[in-house]
Amino acid sequence: MPSYTAPIRDMAFILENVLDVVHSDVPGYDELETDFISAIFSESAKLCEQILTPLNTTGDTQGCQLVNGVVRTPEGFKDAFEVVKAGGWPGLDCDPEYGGQGMPFVLASAVTEMFSSSNMAFSMYQGLTHGAYSAIYAHGTEQQKQTYLPKMVSCEWTGTMNLTEPHCGTDLGLMRTKARRETDGSYSISGQKIFISAGEHDLAENIIHLVLAKIEGAPEGIKGVSLFIVPKFLVNENGSLGQRNALSAGKLEEKMGIHGNATCVMNYDGATGFLVGEAHKGMRAMFTMMNEARLGVGVQGYAQAEVAYQNALSYAQDRLQGRSVIGVENPDGPADPLIVHPDIRRNLMDQKSFVEGARAFTLWGAHLIDRHHRLNDKAADGLVSLLTPVIKGFLTDKGFDMCVQAQQVYGGHGYIEEWGMSQFARDARIAMIYEGANGVQALDLVGRKLAQDGGKHAMSFFELVRNFISENVEVYDNFYKDFLDPLEQASKDLKAGAMYFMNNGMKNPNHALAGSYDFMHMFGHVCLGLMWAQMAKASFDALEKCIDDVAFYETKITTGRYYMQRQLPATAVHLKRIESGADPVMALGVTNF
Amino acid sequence: MPSYTAPIRDMAFILENVLDVVHSDVPGYDELETDFISAIFSESAKLCEQILTPLNTTGDTQGCQLVNGVVRTPEGFKDAFEVVKAGGWPGLDCDPEYGGQGMPFVLASAVTEMFSSSNMAFSMYQGLTHGAYSAIYAHGTEQQKQTYLPKMVSCEWTGTMNLTEPHCGTDLGLMRTKARRETDGSYSISGQKIFISAGEHDLAENIIHLVLAKIEGAPEGIKGVSLFIVPKFLVNENGSLGQRNALSAGKLEEKMGIHGNATCVMNYDGATGFLVGEAHKGMRAMFTMMNEARLGVGVQGYAQAEVAYQNALSYAQDRLQGRSVIGVENPDGPADPLIVHPDIRRNLMDQKSFVEGARAFTLWGAHLIDRHHRLNDKAADGLVSLLTPVIKGFLTDKGFDMCVQAQQVYGGHGYIEEWGMSQFARDARIAMIYEGANGVQALDLVGRKLAQDGGKHAMSFFELVRNFISENVEVYDNFYKDFLDPLEQASKDLKAGAMYFMNNGMKNPNHALAGSYDFMHMFGHVCLGLMWAQMAKASFDALEKCIDDVAFYETKITTGRYYMQRQLPATAVHLKRIESGADPVMALGVTNF
């Protein structure tokens, strides 16, 4: 069975050395002293390593069962959920007014990674609740907040998001679920929703469904969609549970992975719902929390890669197979460990350099969200809006690829479920699909975010890269050559891609969209390149001070060099593809395939 | 449930227009007239489309069951196996002396693709039998051949390959299974083998296990390994089944995919075995059929991609979601089909251009094997030995990636098992691992094949590319620009990679091995580039003759242009990685990970 050790040291490094949180002007960041971070992380690590990790296999093997409308989660999930609730983890970054702990999102994101690595399917029960909390928090009435949020913050009640219908996923304008206004101001909701994660289960006494539906007579398409709270049990005025609402889980989907999470078909048969925010503005309400939610999915992508990497590494260190070509390294054993072989080493370095870069990138994104929420920093909001599709799309694509590479280290054992490596790949696969499939992320990036506010945020990203380079040209020997020069090259490729879109996309938007996926990946590489340059700089700084942990910082720099030399050059081929334009992509007529 | 239509038109195009089989000097190729090929392909297609395809989901869902030492295959497998046997498919390219039909391997390989696409797990029962047939055919005594081959050719008896043990996969020198010589000349085999595909099942009355073991007192390591025939039931002199041998399936593995194939732990407890070929030369006996076996796995890789692509395409044509950005294309419907979106189109073109290129590449490899076997063409043997790790490694890696991309077209539905797209990815995943994990293929390519016979085969590959280019520079307008120039660039990159290895690998072999995986992929791209250039040329030729099927040939050329423009440029980044050498890969000490 796979094991997991939370990468606390690396998380602390990013918060302290890279983001330098304690010296930040963000309200609440002053609390993030070393001891405090360390206390939170070790508590969370203990829970994840000891309780959630062992349940990961159980969840995969047993899955969820739907019997007479009731969903039973896998053995041990309920007890574990009680422990998670008792620790106050679900409300870590929620508003204290509703029982949350008010911690910065950047801290909560690191904790989310641990939860995801140890048990992705389990963590989704609280993850979805957090998403629903955010929507009500941002758009609900004061009464709605008082009624639902305290119970959701504690996860006594969990939440869901109901968007997809059988005939529409991305294109929500086609939605058929109906809402009819009742005389008491509530709505009667009817329709079918699919792919509803945590739609029904036995972990909580109530489930608060957030449902998108069209009010009768609403405008056509996406502009006629409204958001509703539709609780499984209606809530009495005194807060106690009332009548069972007219909704039910019709089916559990059999999925490739995340078996421990109940993915439901939800049927609403005139269920009572309550409008959240304005009528017909449901999409806007959903989009408010999009950056956070998509960042959370990005975390899932690299969190699976992290745990897969840890296990691949320990297998490569233990498994004796073959001999090093440059001389026996384990003369007392029958063979050398796998890790002596260059191609295994390449594989592991791919994984390690990706995961650590992805972690820094995501926590930087979370920090920008904190700046927006806590400082009302509009520039930070603009920048993170630009980066969000990259975090979601690039990190989940690469996260999955790295799980597959980790599986490969195990040879045949990687294909056998007992070893657990297959589960990481199968679980990670969904992150490329949900919360907007990665092709849609690419479309969002190129079709919307890149030019948003006159391209201001893209320009500020490039400026940030340029400034980092110019400020650090001469700080350390070889720093320019090893880190800044490759970053500059990659950034130039990215800019050339953006220019290509500007110059050709006006004539024919397909010239931009045909290259959108490549652009998203190119952008991801540049971001990870920037992260590695920053992490290397922070490591050199730390080494200058001659403190402890020399090996940690040197490893960081060596891993960074790998990324710059072996991964970052990928931007060149992405650019080449982009610059081939729409013609090769669209040349074949729809009927000639 | 997914569907499958055998790509007969494309297979015939490769055999006729590209390989020009009827005008070949290979004995037996003169039979491959259009009508004959077409008759074989349509019979095989009917079987695969109507009988094997529907059983693919059943196989995945039910899997195999081991009860009291007996393995039950999924419902319908036994009946289907009878149909396959009755059609003589397992012996298509086997020697008529033992009941085979003596067809060329190139034809059989195309049929293998159909079987794999329609039901990979099922096809493995006969595929493994074919492998065991080849080993006995090449190394068995006349008596062994008479005893076993006719029944194996007809698949009344199936075969297996027993190499892996719990502590050794790639490094077979560590093997512990023992063989003790008995007074009657037979051997007593004891030990445990794992990952034995089709190790036990209910499809055949006998199973002929080929087992690698060490004879007592044999030399250490790989040089002490011998090959044995170990039948499940011993065979009496009159050919009837005798005593049950002392072997059994101890366990069925739970795998990520190919659930319909029984992957067994096999226990040999003093089982009676018969030496095949010379003592201690077992590895050589296994390696004889390596090229064919690995080519067969390459087929599995792209065969899964083929069927996944077919389904993704039809989903993209049917599913209405969103509107084309350059103008509504389906005004009467609520939305346009997915296929109008450039990023979906890119995804489909990636798949299509890969699969068709892979098919041509593999059939060319099969043709080279025919040249070797039927003409004793040593140059062809040398060349296909060089290409085999590329066929196996590159086509299975990319085949899996394409299954994942096909799954992505389905959005959330791609993650739900009911739609079948997950199964294609899960089944395809094993092809990257078995028959030598792809990292081992890369090692074989760079560490062995590239320099084999003084680098003669690599040079003849480059010469072949060069000649094709120089002979066709002026044949058609834009042919140089669209096809030959990109091919020339990519081939230059490949040569530069090989030069880097030559110049640096002597000093330190790690400089070569650290780039081996990239080299394998670069080589694969150049081969597919060559195939596309050849296919485009053949299509232009056909169009010149102004015959039917204009759309087919034009589509071919358009698809080829896509590969040249959007895929082939990947060689540049592979070269860059190779040229970064061993340092970034090996810099991190084993204990610093």
Side-chain angles (χ1 to χ4, degrees), chain A residues 169 171 321-322 426 566 577, chain B residues 169 171 321-322 415 566 577:
Chain A
D171 190 354
Q321 206 79 177
R426 289 185 292 97
R566 304 261 316 181
R577 287 199 194 122
Chain B
D171 190 354
Q321 205 81 177
Y415 200 65
R566 304 261 316 181
R577 286 197 195 125

Side-chain angles (χ1 to χ4, degrees), chain B residues 222-502:
Chain B
I222 204 74
K223 288 173 186 155
V225 168
S226 305
L227 181 65
F228 298 89
I229 292 174
V230 190
K232 176 175 166 185
F233 289 99
L234 295 171
V235 181
N236 297 324
E237 280 198 17
N238 64 4
S240 65
L241 294 188
Q243 202 188 326
R244 179 71 153 87
N245 210 345
L247 60 90
S248 62
K251 186 187 169 191
L252 281 186
E253 304 286 2
E254 300 278 345
K255 309 182 298 295
M256 186 179 187
I258 52 165
H259 295 159
N261 198 277
T263 305
C264 302
V265 173
M266 294 301 299
N267 296 317
Y268 296 90
D269 304 308
T272 301
F274 308 98
L275 185 66
V276 181
E278 289 176 58
H280 318 319
K281 306 278 188 200
M283 289 309 292
R284 195 193 292 172
M286 287 309 255
F287 272 101
T288 313
M289 50 186 186
M290 205 58 108
N291 289 341
E292 282 164 76
R294 290 186 168 173
L295 185 137
V297 177
V299 170
Q300 291 182 327
Y302 80 80
Q304 292 307 296
E306 164 69 35
V307 63
Y309 162 69
Q310 288 186 15
N311 286 279
L313 173 61
S314 93
Y315 191 81
Q317 286 166 331
D318 293 345
R319 173 89 171 174
L320 304 179
Q321 205 81 177
R323 290 291 186 188
S324 162
V325 284
I326 56 166
V328 169
E329 300 209 7
N330 176 31
D332 299 334
D336 289 340
L338 282 180
I339 198 169
V340 307
H341 303 299
D343 188 61
I344 295 285
R345 200 77 74 91
R346 165 204 62 84
N347 187 341
L348 293 170
M349 289 300 293
D350 281 353
Q351 296 174 55
K352 180 176 174 63
S353 64
F354 164 72
V355 170
E356 295 178 14
R359 177 175 299 124
F361 183 24
T362 309
L363 293 183
W364 176 41
H367 166 66
L368 292 172
I369 289 175
D370 275 334
R371 292 195 70 84
H372 172 221
H373 287 163
R374 290 171 177 248
L375 275 175
N376 198 23
D377 180 340
K378 294 270 196 278
D381 182 41
L383 185 54
V384 79
S385 294
L386 173 72
L387 298 179
T388 293
V390 183
I391 292 175
K392 197 282 182 181
F394 181 69
L395 299 190
T396 61
D397 275 359
K398 287 283 172 189
F400 172 73
D401 286 348
M402 291 305 111
C403 290
V404 171
Q405 285 195 200
Q407 192 184 13
Q408 192 73 11
V409 173
Y410 279 69
H413 301 279
Y415 200 65
I416 306 299
E417 292 294 352
E418 194 182 336
W419 290 79
M421 300 306 285
S422 158
Q423 187 188 350
F424 297 136
R426 289 185 292 97
D427 286 358
R429 182 68 184 88
I430 188 58
M432 297 157 70
I433 299 175
Y434 63 17
E435 203 61 41
N438 286 355
V440 176
Q441 302 297 330
L443 178 65
D444 180 46
L445 175 66
V446 170
R448 226 171 123 248
K449 300 296 179 58
L450 199 55
Q452 207 163 42
D453 298 325
K456 194 165 76 176
H457 313 301
M459 283 185 282
S460 84
F461 174 81
F462 284 116
E463 197 185 317
L464 199 147
V465 174
R466 202 172 44 242
N467 289 345
F468 181 80
I469 293 172
S470 61
E471 285 160 17
N472 294 288
V473 167
E474 302 201 334
V475 285
Y476 297 109
D477 284 354
N478 292 325
F479 188 64
Y480 180 80
K481 178 175 79 62
D482 289 353
F483 290 93
L484 300 181
D485 182 42
L487 176 60
E488 200 160 28
Q489 293 305 317
S491 163
K492 208 179 282 175
D493 286 344
L494 183 66
K495 208 178 283 177
M499 288 303 293
Y500 179 86
F501 293 157
M502 271 181 57

Side-chain angles (χ1 to χ4, degrees), chain B residues 137-149:
Chain B
Y137 184 74
H139 300 283
T141 62
E142 193 46 43
Q143 197 209 337
Q144 286 172 338
K145 293 190 204 179
Q146 293 296 346
T147 306
Y148 300 104
L149 296 189

Side-chain angles (χ1 to χ4, degrees), chain A residues 165-172 174 194-195 251 253-258 263 309 313 317 319-326 329 334-335 339-343 345-346 348-349 352 400-401 403-405 407-408 411-418 422 425-430 432-433 437-440 442-443 508-510 513-518 551 554-555 558-559 561-562 565-567 569-570 573 576-578 580-581 584-593, chain B residues 165-172 174 194-195 251 253-258 263 309 313 317 319-326 329 334-335 339-343 345-346 348-349 352 397 400-401 403-405 407-408 411-418 422 425-430 432-433 437-440 442-443 508-510 513-518 551 554-555 558-559 561-562 565-567 569-570 573 576-578 580-581 584-593:
Chain A
E165 299 182 7
H167 61 289
C168 69
T170 300
D171 190 354
L172 291 169
L174 303 176
I194 63 170
F195 305 157
K251 186 187 167 193
E253 304 286 1
E254 301 278 343
K255 309 181 300 292
M256 185 179 187
I258 52 163
T263 306
Y309 162 69
L313 173 61
Q317 285 166 332
R319 173 89 170 172
L320 304 180
Q321 206 79 177
R323 290 291 187 187
S324 162
V325 285
I326 55 166
E329 299 210 5
I339 198 169
V340 307
H341 303 299
D343 187 60
R345 200 77 74 90
R346 166 202 64 82
L348 293 170
M349 289 299 294
K352 181 176 171 65
F400 172 73
D401 286 349
C403 289
V404 171
Q405 286 196 198
Q407 193 184 10
Q408 192 72 11
H413 300 279
Y415 200 65
I416 307 299
E417 292 294 352
E418 195 182 334
S422 158
R426 289 185 292 97
D427 285 0
R429 182 68 185 87
I430 189 57
M432 296 158 70
I433 299 173
N438 287 355
V440 175
L443 178 65
N508 178 354
N510 284 351
L513 300 185
S516 59
Y517 215 88
D518 281 290
E554 285 180 344
T555 292
T558 304
T559 308
R561 280 201 197 98
Y562 181 89
Q565 284 194 269
R566 304 261 316 181
Q567 299 297 335
V573 61
K576 196 133 192 210
R577 287 199 194 122
I578 287 168
S580 73
V585 174
M586 305 302 285
L588 198 57
V590 165
T591 52
N592 286 330
F593 269 79
Chain B
E165 299 183 6
H167 63 288
C168 69
T170 300
D171 190 354
L172 290 169
L174 303 176
I194 62 170
F195 304 157
K251 186 187 169 191
E253 304 286 2
E254 300 278 345
K255 309 182 298 295
M256 186 179 187
I258 52 165
T263 305
Y309 162 69
L313 173 61
Q317 286 166 331
R319 173 89 171 174
L320 304 179
Q321 205 81 177
R323 290 291 186 188
S324 162
V325 284
I326 56 166
E329 300 209 7
I339 198 169
V340 307
H341 303 299
D343 188 61
R345 200 77 74 91
R346 165 204 62 84
L348 293 170
M349 289 300 293
K352 180 176 174 63
D397 275 359
F400 172 73
D401 286 348
C403 290
V404 171
Q405 285 195 200
Q407 192 184 13
Q408 192 73 11
H413 301 279
Y415 200 65
I416 306 299
E417 292 294 352
E418 194 182 336
S422 158
R426 289 185 292 97
D427 286 358
R429 182 68 184 88
I430 188 58
M432 297 157 70
I433 299 175
N438 286 355
V440 176
L443 178 65
N508 179 355
N510 283 351
L513 300 184
S516 58
Y517 214 89
D518 281 289
E554 286 180 343
T555 292
T558 304
T559 309
R561 281 202 197 98
Y562 182 89
Q565 283 194 270
R566 304 261 316 181
Q567 296 299 334
V573 61
K576 195 133 194 211
R577 286 197 195 125
I578 286 169
S580 73
V585 174
M586 305 302 284
L588 198 57
V590 165
T591 51
N592 285 332
F593 270 78

Side-chain angles (χ1 to χ4, degrees), chain A residues 454-489:
Chain A
K456 192 164 79 176
H457 313 301
M459 285 186 279
S460 84
F461 175 80
F462 284 117
E463 196 184 319
L464 199 149
V465 174
R466 200 170 48 242
N467 289 345
F468 181 80
I469 293 172
S470 62
E471 284 161 16
N472 293 288
V473 168
E474 303 201 334
V475 284
Y476 298 108
D477 284 354
N478 292 325
F479 188 65
Y480 180 79
K481 179 176 78 62
D482 290 352
F483 291 93
L484 300 181
D485 183 39
L487 175 61
E488 200 160 28
Q489 292 306 317

